Amino acid sequence: MRNVSKVYNPKSSHWVGDGFLVYPLFTYMDEVDKGTNPFLMLDYAAPQYFEPNNRQPRGIGVIKQGDVQWMTAGAGVTHQEFHSKEFGQKGGLFEMVQLWVNLPKAHKNTQPKYQHLPKERIPVVSIGDGEARIIAGEYENTRGAASTFTPLNVWDISTKEDGKITLDLPASHNLSLVVLRGNVIINNSQKASETQLVMFENASGAVIIKAMGGEAKILLLSGEPIDEPVVGYGPFVMNTKEEINQAIDDYRRGEFGQIPVEN
């Protein structure tokens, strides 16, 4: 059995972008290394109701319910997040996860690309008393929708009421679970609840997850760590301070592209 090493509570929530209230679960700049490598940062916008709003948002990429935007920044790209015009005008319940994944040094300056993964393209598999959307990685013979640069898994798992599932991830992967909704007990001993991050020991063995008192929704993250220095400044993540300075210079020269200014 693969044992839990630590359960972390999120930091205080704060607003980002054009009105997204998020709970920071981890970042590579934390004082304590939570062992999430190759994942650098995760912000969770727990379900929240937004009133209708008639402002005109900017941007062209619309992410609908169940969709995933997988963007590779690589050599540099400029973007902003806004509520879509349709959602802004209607309002409603909003939930989102923003996840940053590291790139190896050899691919830090790869050509930027965007993978729009609509809900219909994300494979769904049955796991015990639940199911998993395989966003990235592989479960048995089912491959995830996103292409990645290193071996990793991103699974969106839902359990039935009081359901139980058993997972077995490679021992070479760092493994973490984010409880998005509901309450669970792991390996018949460790309890975890909404917005908590559960970290596991680096060892082989199965992980047993049981929902308590209802259904549960969990985000699974596992991946082979990238054994390289990580240096960051704001949205820039490289391997050295010199590379950060170069990235900032490139951005100031407009090499990451421009976002049109609307009157």
Side-chain angles (χ1 to χ4, degrees):
M1 187 171 290
R2 189 165 184 169
N3 295 321
V4 172
S5 60
K6 184 84 173 180
V7 177
Y8 293 94
N9 292 317
K11 295 182 179 179
S12 299
S13 61
H14 65 274
W15 292 92
V16 299
D18 183 47
F20 303 96
L21 183 64
V22 301
Y23 291 90
L25 269 295
F26 63 82
T27 169
Y28 66 97
M29 292 184 286
D30 284 339
E31 293 182 2
V32 176
D33 181 4
K34 296 178 179 176
T36 58
N37 184 356
F39 303 99
L40 296 173
M41 185 200 79
L42 188 145
D43 284 343
Y44 175 44
Q48 177 170 341
Y49 182 79
F50 285 84
E51 296 288 345
N53 184 333
N54 289 320
R55 288 191 303 159
Q56 298 297 314
R58 293 174 287 175
I60 58 173
V62 177
I63 308 171
K64 297 185 178 181
Q65 183 175 353
D67 293 355
V68 173
Q69 171 189 275
W70 194 285
M71 184 176 67
T72 301
V77 65
T78 302
H79 81 289
Q80 289 178 306
E81 299 96 3
F82 292 87
H83 292 294
S84 70
K85 180 178 179 179
E86 179 182 3
F87 179 82
Q89 291 178 345
K90 290 183 178 179
L93 198 64
F94 181 85
E95 181 183 21
M96 176 198 72
V97 171
Q98 179 178 222
L99 175 68
W100 288 14
V101 185
N102 196 13
L103 287 175
K105 180 178 178 63
H107 298 293
K108 279 286 198 296
N109 288 309
T110 190
Q111 183 72 18
K113 70 175 182 177
Y114 175 90
Q115 299 175 67
H116 176 65
L117 310 176
K119 178 181 178 181
E120 297 75 20
R121 279 188 51 205
I122 299 173
V124 179
V125 298
S126 296
I127 301 181
D129 297 325
E131 64 180 27
R133 302 196 314 142
I134 311 301
I135 297 168
E138 186 172 1
Y139 176 76
E140 294 183 346
N141 295 320
T142 300
R143 296 194 61 83
S147 65
T148 66
F149 285 81
T150 59
L152 57 85
N153 293 295
V154 179
W155 302 348
D156 179 14
I157 300 172
S158 300
T159 73
K160 298 177 182 178
E161 184 174 353
D162 296 322
K164 182 172 72 174
I165 62 173
T166 301
L167 305 170
D168 196 351
L169 282 301
S172 61
H173 282 207
N174 285 338
L175 173 62
S176 59
L177 301 175
V178 177
V179 183
L180 302 179
R181 282 183 250 146
N183 300 287
V184 299
I185 185 165
I186 301 167
N187 295 339
N188 303 312
S189 60
Q190 178 66 61
K191 294 180 180 179
S193 57
E194 292 179 354
T195 71
Q196 287 189 316
L197 171 70
V198 183
M199 299 304 305
F200 291 83
E201 296 177 350
N202 291 102
S204 60
V207 173
I208 302 171
I209 303 168
K210 188 179 188 306
M212 299 189 302
E215 300 174 350
K217 189 173 180 64
I218 302 158
L219 184 66
L220 177 145
L221 306 173
S222 83
E224 291 187 1
I226 299 173
D227 188 20
E228 297 174 357
V230 176
V231 178
Y233 180 83
F236 304 100
V237 180
M238 300 299 289
N239 295 98
T240 67
K241 184 176 180 180
E242 291 73 22
E243 291 171 344
I244 290 290
N245 293 335
Q246 182 63 56
I248 294 173
D249 288 343
D250 292 343
Y251 171 74
R252 289 172 175 167
R253 287 197 300 268
E255 295 184 16
F256 288 13
Q258 300 285 341
I259 296 177
V261 177
E262 297 186 1
N263 297 322

